[in-house]
Short mmCIF file of all heavy atoms in Angstrom, two decimals:
data_model
loop_
_atom_site.label_atom_id
_atom_site.label_comp_id
_atom_site.label_asym_id
_atom_site.label_seq_id
_atom_site.Cartn_x
_atom_site.Cartn_y
_atom_site.Cartn_z
N MET A 1 0.83 -1.20 0.00
CA MET A 1 0.00 0.00 0.00
C MET A 1 0.87 1.26 0.00
O MET A 1 0.78 2.12 0.88
CB MET A 1 -0.95 -0.01 1.19
CG MET A 1 -1.84 -1.22 1.24
SD MET A 1 -2.81 -1.43 -0.25
CE MET A 1 -3.74 0.08 -0.24
N TRP A 17 -9.93 22.07 4.12
CA TRP A 17 -10.59 23.11 3.33
C TRP A 17 -12.11 23.09 3.50
O TRP A 17 -12.76 24.11 3.37
CB TRP A 17 -10.21 22.98 1.86
CG TRP A 17 -8.93 23.67 1.53
CD1 TRP A 17 -8.39 24.75 2.16
CD2 TRP A 17 -8.01 23.34 0.48
NE1 TRP A 17 -7.20 25.11 1.58
CE2 TRP A 17 -6.94 24.27 0.54
CE3 TRP A 17 -8.00 22.36 -0.51
CZ2 TRP A 17 -5.88 24.24 -0.34
CZ3 TRP A 17 -6.93 22.33 -1.40
CH2 TRP A 17 -5.87 23.27 -1.32
N SER A 21 -15.09 27.68 6.21
CA SER A 21 -16.11 28.66 6.59
C SER A 21 -16.06 28.99 8.08
O SER A 21 -16.45 30.09 8.50
CB SER A 21 -17.51 28.17 6.21
OG SER A 21 -17.81 26.97 6.89
N PHE A 41 -0.25 37.74 1.26
CA PHE A 41 0.95 38.39 1.78
C PHE A 41 1.46 37.67 3.04
O PHE A 41 2.67 37.47 3.20
CB PHE A 41 0.66 39.86 2.11
CG PHE A 41 0.30 40.70 0.90
CD1 PHE A 41 -0.47 41.84 1.03
CD2 PHE A 41 0.73 40.34 -0.37
CE1 PHE A 41 -0.80 42.61 -0.07
CE2 PHE A 41 0.39 41.09 -1.49
CZ PHE A 41 -0.38 42.24 -1.34
N LYS A 56 17.40 26.08 4.14
CA LYS A 56 18.50 26.61 3.32
C LYS A 56 19.11 25.52 2.44
O LYS A 56 19.44 25.75 1.27
CB LYS A 56 19.57 27.24 4.22
CG LYS A 56 19.16 28.56 4.83
CD LYS A 56 20.29 29.16 5.65
CE LYS A 56 19.89 30.50 6.26
NZ LYS A 56 20.99 31.09 7.09
N ALA A 58 17.65 22.79 1.33
CA ALA A 58 16.71 22.46 0.26
C ALA A 58 16.71 23.54 -0.83
O ALA A 58 16.60 23.23 -2.01
CB ALA A 58 15.30 22.29 0.84
N PHE A 66 18.17 22.81 -10.61
CA PHE A 66 17.72 23.59 -11.76
C PHE A 66 18.88 23.87 -12.72
O PHE A 66 18.73 23.77 -13.94
CB PHE A 66 17.09 24.91 -11.29
CG PHE A 66 16.60 25.78 -12.42
CD1 PHE A 66 15.42 25.48 -13.08
CD2 PHE A 66 17.34 26.89 -12.81
CE1 PHE A 66 14.98 26.27 -14.14
CE2 PHE A 66 16.90 27.69 -13.87
CZ PHE A 66 15.72 27.38 -14.52
N GLU A 73 14.61 21.41 -20.48
CA GLU A 73 14.04 21.09 -19.17
C GLU A 73 13.88 22.35 -18.31
O GLU A 73 12.92 22.47 -17.55
CB GLU A 73 14.93 20.07 -18.44
CG GLU A 73 14.87 18.67 -19.06
CD GLU A 73 15.87 17.73 -18.43
OE1 GLU A 73 16.96 18.21 -18.02
OE2 GLU A 73 15.58 16.53 -18.32
N PHE A 93 -8.66 34.91 -7.86
CA PHE A 93 -9.33 36.11 -8.36
C PHE A 93 -10.74 35.80 -8.87
O PHE A 93 -11.70 36.51 -8.54
CB PHE A 93 -8.51 36.75 -9.51
CG PHE A 93 -7.66 37.90 -9.07
CD1 PHE A 93 -6.31 37.92 -9.38
CD2 PHE A 93 -8.18 38.97 -8.38
CE1 PHE A 93 -5.50 38.97 -8.98
CE2 PHE A 93 -7.39 40.03 -7.97
CZ PHE A 93 -6.04 40.03 -8.28
N ALA A 110 -18.34 25.26 -8.14
CA ALA A 110 -17.06 25.21 -8.85
C ALA A 110 -16.18 24.07 -8.36
O ALA A 110 -15.50 23.41 -9.15
CB ALA A 110 -16.32 26.54 -8.70
N CYS A 114 -14.74 21.03 -10.53
CA CYS A 114 -13.29 20.92 -10.66
C CYS A 114 -12.78 19.47 -10.78
O CYS A 114 -11.93 19.19 -11.63
CB CYS A 114 -12.61 21.63 -9.49
SG CYS A 114 -10.81 21.62 -9.57
N PRO A 115 -13.25 18.52 -9.93
CA PRO A 115 -12.76 17.14 -10.07
C PRO A 115 -13.04 16.53 -11.45
O PRO A 115 -12.21 15.77 -11.97
CB PRO A 115 -13.54 16.38 -8.97
CG PRO A 115 -13.84 17.43 -7.96
CD PRO A 115 -14.11 18.67 -8.74
N TYR A 123 -6.69 12.97 -18.35
CA TYR A 123 -6.87 11.91 -19.34
C TYR A 123 -6.33 12.35 -20.71
O TYR A 123 -5.62 11.59 -21.38
CB TYR A 123 -8.36 11.56 -19.45
CG TYR A 123 -8.67 10.50 -20.49
CD1 TYR A 123 -8.42 9.15 -20.23
CD2 TYR A 123 -9.19 10.85 -21.74
CE1 TYR A 123 -8.69 8.18 -21.18
CE2 TYR A 123 -9.46 9.88 -22.69
CZ TYR A 123 -9.22 8.55 -22.42
OH TYR A 123 -9.49 7.59 -23.36
N GLN A 134 -14.22 3.85 -12.90
CA GLN A 134 -13.87 5.25 -12.64
C GLN A 134 -14.60 6.18 -13.61
O GLN A 134 -15.00 7.28 -13.23
CB GLN A 134 -12.36 5.43 -12.72
CG GLN A 134 -11.63 4.82 -11.53
CD GLN A 134 -10.12 4.93 -11.65
OE1 GLN A 134 -9.55 4.73 -12.73
NE2 GLN A 134 -9.47 5.20 -10.53
N ALA A 167 -8.17 23.07 -11.73
CA ALA A 167 -7.91 21.78 -12.37
C ALA A 167 -6.61 21.84 -13.17
O ALA A 167 -5.78 20.91 -13.12
CB ALA A 167 -9.07 21.40 -13.29
N PHE A 182 8.07 22.09 -0.63
CA PHE A 182 7.89 23.32 0.14
C PHE A 182 8.50 24.52 -0.59
O PHE A 182 7.91 25.60 -0.61
CB PHE A 182 8.52 23.19 1.53
CG PHE A 182 8.22 24.34 2.44
CD1 PHE A 182 7.06 24.36 3.20
CD2 PHE A 182 9.09 25.44 2.52
CE1 PHE A 182 6.77 25.45 4.03
CE2 PHE A 182 8.81 26.52 3.34
CZ PHE A 182 7.64 26.51 4.09
N THR A 190 4.81 33.27 -3.31
CA THR A 190 5.54 34.54 -3.34
C THR A 190 5.33 35.26 -4.66
O THR A 190 5.14 36.49 -4.68
CB THR A 190 7.05 34.30 -3.10
OG1 THR A 190 7.22 33.65 -1.83
CG2 THR A 190 7.82 35.60 -3.12
N ILE A 217 -6.82 35.74 9.84
CA ILE A 217 -5.97 35.74 8.64
C ILE A 217 -4.78 34.82 8.83
O ILE A 217 -4.42 34.03 7.92
CB ILE A 217 -5.50 37.18 8.31
CG1 ILE A 217 -6.64 37.99 7.70
CG2 ILE A 217 -4.31 37.15 7.34
CD1 ILE A 217 -7.15 37.48 6.35
N LEU A 223 -3.16 27.29 8.51
CA LEU A 223 -3.95 26.05 8.56
C LEU A 223 -4.75 25.80 7.29
O LEU A 223 -4.96 24.65 6.91
CB LEU A 223 -4.89 26.09 9.77
CG LEU A 223 -5.70 24.82 10.05
CD1 LEU A 223 -4.77 23.63 10.30
CD2 LEU A 223 -6.62 25.02 11.25
N PHE A 227 -0.50 24.69 4.80
CA PHE A 227 -0.52 23.26 5.14
C PHE A 227 -1.27 22.42 4.11
O PHE A 227 -0.72 21.45 3.57
CB PHE A 227 -1.10 23.09 6.54
CG PHE A 227 -1.05 21.67 7.06
CD1 PHE A 227 0.14 20.97 7.06
CD2 PHE A 227 -2.20 21.04 7.53
CE1 PHE A 227 0.20 19.66 7.54
CE2 PHE A 227 -2.15 19.75 8.00
CZ PHE A 227 -0.96 19.05 8.01
N ASN A 249 -13.76 16.52 -3.99
CA ASN A 249 -15.19 16.57 -3.67
C ASN A 249 -15.45 16.54 -2.16
O ASN A 249 -16.53 16.94 -1.71
CB ASN A 249 -15.90 15.37 -4.32
CG ASN A 249 -16.23 15.61 -5.77
OD1 ASN A 249 -16.73 16.66 -6.14
ND2 ASN A 249 -15.93 14.63 -6.62
N ARG A 294 -8.95 -2.71 2.83
CA ARG A 294 -9.80 -3.64 3.59
C ARG A 294 -9.21 -5.05 3.57
O ARG A 294 -9.16 -5.74 4.59
CB ARG A 294 -11.20 -3.64 2.98
CG ARG A 294 -12.23 -4.48 3.74
CD ARG A 294 -13.61 -4.24 3.14
NE ARG A 294 -14.61 -5.03 3.84
CZ ARG A 294 -14.96 -6.27 3.53
NH1 ARG A 294 -14.37 -6.88 2.51
NH2 ARG A 294 -15.88 -6.91 4.21
#
Side-chain angles (χ1 to χ4, degrees):
M1 302 304 299
W17 275 333
S21 62
F41 296 155
K56 287 183 180 179
F66 180 77
E73 289 174 327
F93 261 128
C114 182
Y123 178 77
Q134 288 177 319
F182 187 87
T190 301
I217 286 295
L223 186 59
F227 186 53
N249 278 314
R294 185 172 180 271

